[in-house]
Amino acid sequence: QVQLVESGGGLVQAGGSLRLSCAASGSIFSINRMGWYRQAPGKQRELVATITSGGSTNYVDSVKGRFTISRDNAKKTVYLQMGSLEPEDTAVYYCAAEVKSKPWSGTGNYWGQGTQVTVSS
């Protein structure tokens, strides 16, 4: 089994910054893509940013230039540095990872439990 544990959420004023972390543990042979998603009240979950094992990144347009995704492969951890936060960024942020548990196994998709980010105006 694989567990993803997020941390770093909280309440921040508009214009402020937060850094989210997500550590993977358990039965892990390799991790391909890791990413962050968010879900605001009454809205569908949306992709925020992803990063491959090689470091290639992808961002939703609304966070480009404000958020930076990074990862530490040795620590099996992905980060989301969020800056210039806006009230519209308020949501529960979820970590996700594509994990191969054994060399011969397929890839499974795993999710964290979510961490709340609230941006006040």
Side-chain angles (χ1 to χ4, degrees):
Q1 194 58 277
V2 175
Q3 297 81 39
L4 301 178
V5 178
E6 299 113 332
S7 60
L11 173 64
V12 64
Q13 289 188 330
S17 300
L18 279 176
R19 188 193 196 208
L20 305 182
S21 300
C22 172
S25 62
S27 180
I28 299 172
F29 172 74
S30 64
I31 305 176
N32 185 14
R33 185 165 45 189
M34 303 183 80
W36 291 94
Y37 293 72
R38 66 186 179 187
Q39 187 166 19
K43 294 187 177 182
Q44 289 188 331
R45 189 173 298 188
E46 67 168 352
L47 176 130
V48 176
T50 62
I51 184 168
T52 67
S53 57
S56 296
T57 59
N58 180 55
Y59 298 90
V60 66
D61 286 346
S62 61
V63 307
K64 286 181 180 177
R66 300 189 299 122
F67 292 10
T68 301
I69 189 170
S70 62
R71 65 190 281 176
D72 184 327
N73 290 329
K75 295 182 178 180
K76 300 183 180 64
T77 299
V78 63
Y79 306 96
L80 186 67
Q81 179 67 48
M82 304 185 292
S84 301
L85 283 162
E86 305 167 352
E88 293 72 24
D89 296 315
T90 295
V92 177
Y93 283 69
Y94 297 91
C95 169
E98 298 173 354
V99 178
K100 184 183 288 284
S101 295
K102 303 290 184 184
W104 56 84
S105 67
T107 299
N109 295 316
Y110 297 88
W111 292 87
Q113 80 286 353
T115 185
Q116 177 70 46
V117 172
T118 303
V119 184
S120 62
S121 57

